[in-house]
Amino acid sequence: MADQWRAVPVTSVPLSSGRPMPRVGFGTASFPLGEGDDRPVVREAVLRALDSGYRHFDTAAVYGTERALGDAAAEAVRAGAIASRDDLYVTSKLWITDAHPGRVLPALEKTLRNLQMEYVDLYLIHFPVSMRPPAAQGSPVVVKEDLVAMDMKGVWEEMEECKRRGLAKAIGVSNFSCKKLEHLLSFAKIPPAANQVEVHPYCRQTKLRQFCMERGIQLCAYSPLGGKGAPWGNSSVMDCPVLKQIAVDRGKTVAQVCLRWVYELGDCVITKSFNERRMRENLGIFDWELTGEDHCKISALPESRGTYDFFVHESGPYKTADEFWDGEIVAGQCNQTPVDLSS
């Protein structure tokens, strides 16, 4: 069974810099955030994911899973499951407490120590906001009163230095709107290779996807099933009658419908399940297609966003969710066209 699943062809997409990114990745966020290193389940899940055929792994400093991912990767190399670390595509992210000039490079160096690796394939600014560093370890992940505006130019210059030193093969961002990307592109010497954002049938990111496609930025989707179990998630996607009917019509699961939908739009997608049956099921999206009618039904669903107001506070740089997302949470229409997957 393991050999069968390793043979599943997970296609990759070229980025503006660095190595091609496998279109399906395995997410390692474990909630509550920051406790992943104390959970052997993360390490075991990564090993099962490797056996199932995943080669793209997504982590972040704030997840607390970098060490567990690194341990699993090292074990897989020792066991001969993969030839070397170079067989993997690893993404990690700069947390908001380190999103300050002078803190970016040390943050990545710490990430690499945790991962026991010499480089990450992609390093992302986690959110377009900064927070004053906490006085002590173990402080809350987000203290809204300590949110401050990011020195985006200063932070991005250090992200570029990370790439120049070879510590990150590619650099990018996460949770950036069109407006914030436009600002970043106005001074970036090395443009972001990717933008990782929430994408699911209720959060379609149509405007942002078009913007990124026109500028050579790869969109990468997290929470493609609505993020149930995460602080921002709920069960609306998995309970959606429209998606359930499409799943019945196609002989697939709701999860497979959502993942295939993201895939057909041209995004990379980060799946998240530590259940071995489901993680293998999530790879069963390559040998079938949704119809144009399926896409229109999904595009008619009401628009919403789970990561709505996490970084909104009266004393912070963003007073409203509309300011944080730059007014880009809009109702969807039947205007999403699947990309040509034959190229």
Side-chain angles (χ1 to χ4, degrees):
M1 176 65 79
D3 289 339
Q4 174 189 347
W5 280 95
R6 272 197 292 270
V8 171
V10 179
T11 59
S12 297
V13 62
L15 303 182
S16 61
S17 60
R19 302 165 63 195
M21 177 191 288
R23 291 284 305 278
V24 179
F26 186 81
T28 64
S30 184
F31 300 97
L33 287 173
E35 296 183 8
D37 278 344
D38 297 327
R39 297 182 178 182
V41 67
V42 177
R43 174 180 156 278
E44 293 303 317
V46 170
L47 290 172
R48 289 196 299 272
L50 280 165
D51 188 54
S52 298
Y54 292 88
R55 292 297 180 266
H56 177 183
F57 292 88
D58 182 86
T59 184
V62 74
Y63 296 169
T65 58
E66 291 174 333
R67 186 167 286 113
L69 172 56
D71 287 345
E75 180 172 333
V77 172
R78 287 194 300 269
I82 55 175
S84 71
R85 178 263 178 268
D86 292 342
D87 287 346
L88 304 180
Y89 191 100
V90 177
T91 297
S92 195
K93 309 177 193 76
L94 175 77
W95 186 235
I96 60 177
T97 50
D98 289 317
H100 302 273
R103 296 182 66 91
V104 179
L105 188 59
L108 178 53
E109 289 171 338
K110 181 178 180 180
T111 280
L112 294 176
R113 288 194 298 272
N114 287 337
L115 289 168
Q116 306 163 58
M117 296 176 182
E118 295 181 352
Y119 67 90
V120 292
D121 295 280
L122 180 63
Y123 196 47
L124 307 176
I125 297 176
H126 208 148
F127 282 94
V129 68
S130 299
M131 190 175 91
R132 298 183 189 93
Q137 289 187 339
S139 299
V141 171
V142 176
V143 179
K144 289 194 173 188
E145 291 81 1
D146 288 339
L147 294 172
V148 294
M150 179 190 292
D151 176 357
M152 195 179 296
K153 188 172 188 296
V155 169
W156 190 252
E157 286 175 350
E158 294 193 15
M159 293 286 288
E160 292 175 330
E161 181 62 20
C162 290
K163 184 181 185 323
R164 279 190 288 267
R165 295 191 186 193
L167 302 179
K169 300 299 183 183
I171 52 176
V173 297
S174 183
N175 299 293
F176 271 51
S177 65
C178 297
K179 183 176 179 180
K180 291 179 177 64
L181 280 172
E182 192 78 76
H183 176 56
L184 174 57
L185 289 169
S186 70
F187 53 74
K189 294 182 175 65
I190 302 173
N195 184 17
Q196 187 181 121
V197 296
E198 181 182 359
V199 179
H200 52 73
Y202 285 104
C203 181
R204 294 181 289 278
Q205 302 282 16
T206 307
K207 177 182 178 181
L208 181 62
R209 181 174 297 102
Q210 185 63 36
F211 181 95
C212 288
M213 288 178 65
E214 291 172 354
R215 288 157 180 80
I217 301 170
Q218 177 62 46
L219 210 65
C220 193
Y222 69 77
S223 294
L225 310 184
K228 183 180 179 182
W232 61 83
N234 57 58
S235 61
S236 60
V237 171
M238 298 302 291
D239 292 343
C240 174
V242 171
L243 297 174
K244 286 182 176 181
Q245 186 57 55
I246 293 174
V248 170
D249 293 343
R250 303 291 150 252
K252 303 295 177 181
T253 66
V254 171
Q256 287 172 323
V257 166
C258 293
L259 296 174
R260 178 68 197 187
W261 170 78
V262 174
Y263 179 80
E264 289 188 14
L265 291 177
D267 303 350
C268 292
V269 59
I270 304 300
T271 67
K272 168 63 196 307
S273 177
F274 288 176
N275 177 281
E276 188 168 4
R277 177 182 62 80
R278 287 196 292 270
M279 68 172 69
R280 293 187 172 195
E281 214 171 58
N282 289 342
L283 288 178
I285 64 170
F286 302 110
D287 58 352
W288 58 281
E289 297 179 354
L290 294 168
T291 67
E293 183 180 359
D294 293 336
H295 278 272
C296 278
K297 288 178 179 177
I298 292 172
S299 293
L301 295 172
E303 195 87 16
S304 63
R305 187 167 308 201
T307 50
Y308 186 65
D309 60 356
F310 279 12
F311 302 100
V312 171
H313 192 263
E314 59 185 10
S315 67
Y318 304 108
K319 311 298 195 263
T320 67
D322 196 58
E323 284 184 3
F324 187 85
W325 298 111
D326 297 309
E328 293 176 17
I329 304 175
V330 295
Q333 298 178 347
C334 186
N335 56 1
Q336 289 182 296
T337 304
V339 298
D340 183 1
L341 300 178
S342 62
S343 57

